[in-house]
Amino acid sequence: MGQPKQTSSVTPLRAMSRAVSFVAFCSLLLGQTAFAQSASPQPAGTANRRSTASQDYRTTNNAAGFDDETDDTATPATNGTSANADDAQQRPAILDAQASDDITGSILDDDIRRLNTRETPIDETLPRRRTAESASAAETPGIPIGTFVLRPSVTQSINTETTKDGNTRQRRAFLETDAAATLTSDWGRHQLTVTSEGAWQRNISGEGEEQPSFKVNGDLRLDLSDDTVAHLTAGYNFYREDTDDPEAIANAAQQSDVQEFSAGASVQRDFGILRGTTALALTRSIYSDATLANGTTVELSDRNQTAGTLRGRVGYELSPALIPFIEATIGRSVYDETRDSAGYERSGHAYGAKAGVEVDLGEKLKGEVGVGYEMANFEDSRLSSIDTATLDASLLWSPIRGTDVNLDLQTSIQPSTTAGESGYVSHALTTTVTHQLRDNLVGTMIGGVTWRDYPTDSTINDELVYTAATGLTWNINRYLDLTSTLGYELTTRKEGTDSQQLRAGVGLKLKR
């Protein structure tokens, strides 16, 4: 049986609501179409080149030939809503807006034209972390003097020394004052550096010879061009000969005081991958009289001389860190007196040549190594010539941070003034290790050996000199250090007695 037909007063209302919904949907569809047509691109030179911020700007566009046909009220905003004329007068056009911290929201990023701009990396926002400066490596501010900076230092120490030569033993305690200073220019071009240091000793007990010394050196660097650098050098050196020196006077109460005056000039120029250096050095040596134990003096003016050396070097730059080179030297020595007190003509010539390599690996390793040959002859035919193979090295190595190793190896010919002797060949090796034990504590160890090799026809036996020393420097603050040293020296001979020297001291160093 069929269901009865139900009727209700709600049915007409449903029909009416459906009709209204249909009409609203059609109106919305037509509105979207009109909106899309109004948002279509305008011809070049119209709305996209025009600002609605002021009437003067609109007039300027019209005078330039731009067409003002687009209604401002129909221009869509960037956020998708329509902007009226009042809004346009209060807000500048987006395309003509300048980037500012006050403009946000719909203004796009100038670089990538997007709203979600890139965040700044954390590394750029955090302050750069600075490495803490070590107290031992901190440099004093110095004293400004015009365009120069002076950094002086004075060390006062008390020392004890024991010397043994055969069966003779001497002990002494002495005060030593060491002074040093560095004067450096602060110029935009060129540079002048002057360094000086000296030591003065005074015995307070015991017996032993005092050893004063003083030296000063100056170096003027001239930057002639991008590829040429010149150096002018000058210096003065004063010292007293050591008792163990081969030229020292036996049983002298005071050895000879030596003064050395030096001057030099060098020019270095780069020729692409080639690097050339020419240098000239002059040295003037003056010897004072030695004083014997009985008060008499021994005149040593016959040892006064003037020596000159001309050196040339050519290097090939394989890389900035590796430069092989060849070098040649020629020297001439002239004594003030044609013949010395023993009747020998000591003036002569010296020649040398070597090949090696310069290394520069930054803080880890730098220096040079070379092998070669050297010869010296004399005007007196009774004095035999001296020749030797040479091995020279000067390297600075830093195996780990805070540790520096300095290796120095030198081969040289040392002329003699002993009657009938030409001289000897000196092979000297010195190693210095500096290690930073703590931030304000630095330890130093020095070891070395020197071989004095006399010719086979010489009446003097070969000698070996061993040296060892250690020291500690405690940086109390930037201007004050506490120093301590301990050193030992041993000289051995094939024939004759050996000699030894032991020294220890402690002092305070004041620097500015």
Side-chain angles (χ1 to χ4, degrees):
M1 179 181 292
Q3 295 293 334
K5 183 177 182 181
Q6 298 180 0
T7 61
S8 175
S9 61
V10 180
T11 302
L13 295 177
R14 290 180 177 175
M16 183 177 295
S17 63
R18 291 175 181 175
V20 172
S21 299
F22 179 76
V23 173
F25 176 76
C26 293
S27 300
L28 180 60
L29 182 61
L30 294 176
Q32 292 292 334
T33 304
F35 180 81
Q37 292 177 355
S38 63
S40 60
Q42 301 294 330
T46 56
N48 61 335
R49 301 295 302 272
R50 182 182 59 199
S51 173
T52 60
S54 65
Q55 184 64 29
D56 295 338
Y57 190 76
R58 183 183 299 108
T59 305
T60 303
N61 286 341
N62 293 337
F66 298 119
D67 212 357
D68 191 13
E69 294 180 357
T70 304
D71 188 4
D72 292 339
T73 59
T75 304
T78 307
N79 58 5
T81 60
S82 298
N84 54 27
D86 295 337
D87 294 336
Q89 293 178 359
Q90 296 177 5
R91 185 177 59 202
I94 294 174
L95 294 178
D96 294 333
Q98 299 295 328
S100 173
D101 294 338
D102 298 332
I103 300 176
T104 58
S106 62
I107 301 302
L108 301 181
D109 183 75
D110 292 337
D111 296 331
I112 57 177
R113 308 299 297 172
R114 67 185 184 185
L115 294 174
N116 54 335
T117 56
R118 180 178 63 89
E119 293 292 338
T120 305
I122 297 178
D123 294 342
E124 296 181 9
T125 58
L126 295 178
R128 187 178 298 274
R129 181 176 299 175
R130 298 181 60 185
T131 304
E133 186 178 18
S134 172
S136 60
E139 189 177 38
T140 57
I143 303 173
I145 303 178
T147 59
F148 293 85
V149 177
L150 176 65
R151 290 186 172 87
S153 66
V154 177
T155 303
Q156 182 62 57
S157 62
I158 182 170
N159 306 267
T160 178
E161 181 183 84
T162 302
T163 303
K164 182 180 180 181
D165 189 357
N167 297 324
T168 304
R169 183 187 298 268
Q170 288 184 336
R171 291 187 179 94
R172 68 172 179 138
F174 62 95
L175 297 176
E176 180 172 333
T177 302
D178 297 274
T182 301
L183 183 66
T184 307
S185 65
D186 187 15
W187 303 336
R189 188 180 181 186
H190 316 304
Q191 186 181 53
L192 175 62
T193 303
V194 180
T195 59
S196 63
E197 61 182 46
W200 175 80
Q201 297 180 355
R202 180 180 179 182
N203 293 341
I204 56 179
S205 67
E207 296 180 353
E209 186 177 3
E210 299 173 347
Q211 297 288 332
S213 64
F214 174 76
K215 65 179 179 180
V216 57
N217 293 286
D219 182 1
L220 175 60
R221 189 196 71 217
L222 300 175
D223 303 318
L224 303 181
S225 66
D226 294 339
D227 300 325
T228 305
V229 177
H231 287 267
L232 299 177
T233 60
Y236 171 78
N237 186 18
F238 168 84
Y239 64 94
R240 182 168 293 167
E241 280 191 324
D242 192 90
T243 305
D244 289 334
D245 191 280
E247 302 301 313
I249 302 299
N251 301 321
Q254 180 176 314
Q255 299 292 337
S256 173
D257 293 333
V258 184
Q259 300 184 76
E260 295 180 348
F261 302 86
S262 61
S266 66
V267 178
Q268 178 178 304
R269 181 175 177 81
D270 290 347
F271 302 90
I273 59 175
L274 296 179
R275 179 179 300 178
T277 303
T278 302
L280 175 65
L282 299 174
T283 303
R284 170 70 177 168
S285 301
I286 300 177
Y287 294 81
S288 69
D289 298 342
T291 304
L292 301 179
N294 57 9
T296 60
T297 59
V298 179
E299 185 177 358
L300 300 176
S301 60
D302 58 344
R303 296 173 61 184
N304 297 344
Q305 61 170 309
T306 302
T309 303
L310 180 63
R311 176 174 62 91
R313 172 183 289 196
V314 176
Y316 182 82
E317 186 175 345
L318 294 177
S319 70
L322 196 64
I323 304 177
F325 67 86
I326 56 174
E327 180 179 292
T329 59
I330 181 173
R332 169 70 171 166
S333 60
V334 178
Y335 284 77
D336 293 358
E337 299 181 9
T338 305
R339 296 181 181 272
D340 62 9
S341 58
Y344 290 89
E345 298 182 30
R346 296 288 178 177
S347 300
H349 297 81
Y351 309 92
K354 67 178 179 179
V357 60
E358 298 178 23
V359 180
D360 188 354
L361 301 179
E363 297 180 356
K364 300 302 294 183
L365 179 66
K366 64 174 56 178
E368 68 176 49
V369 179
V371 295
Y373 175 81
E374 188 172 348
M375 180 184 66
N377 53 39
F378 306 92
E379 294 182 356
D380 199 310
S381 58
R382 294 172 294 175
L383 300 176
S384 59
S385 299
I386 303 176
D387 61 331
T388 180
T390 61
L391 174 60
D392 301 323
S394 179
L395 297 172
L396 179 60
W397 175 44
S398 179
I400 59 176
R401 182 176 295 275
T403 301
D404 295 326
V405 180
N406 190 0
L407 177 66
D408 188 78
L409 176 61
Q410 298 293 331
T411 304
S412 61
I413 295 178
Q414 301 294 330
S416 174
T417 56
T418 303
E421 298 293 336
S422 302
Y424 62 93
V425 178
S426 173
H427 305 273
L429 171 64
T430 304
T431 303
T432 304
V433 180
T434 303
H435 180 65
Q436 186 172 345
L437 302 174
R438 297 185 61 183
D439 178 68
N440 60 346
L441 184 63
V442 177
T444 303
M445 296 185 63
I446 302 175
V449 57
T450 302
W451 176 28
R452 296 167 180 164
D453 183 16
Y454 287 86
T456 54
D457 58 350
S458 174
T459 59
I460 303 178
N461 297 309
D462 294 351
E463 297 179 347
L464 283 173
V465 181
Y466 303 93
T467 57
T470 182
L472 289 175
T473 302
W474 176 35
N475 303 106
I476 300 175
N477 55 47
R478 178 177 290 188
Y479 304 100
L480 186 62
D481 295 342
L482 177 64
T483 63
S484 62
T485 58
L486 177 64
Y488 176 75
E489 180 178 307
L490 171 64
T491 303
T492 62
R493 304 174 179 89
K494 290 184 177 180
E495 296 181 6
T497 60
D498 298 341
S499 61
Q500 305 176 51
Q501 185 182 82
L502 178 65
R503 176 182 293 186
V506 62
L508 283 175
K509 180 179 181 180
L510 180 64
K511 51 187 179 179
R512 183 66 175 86

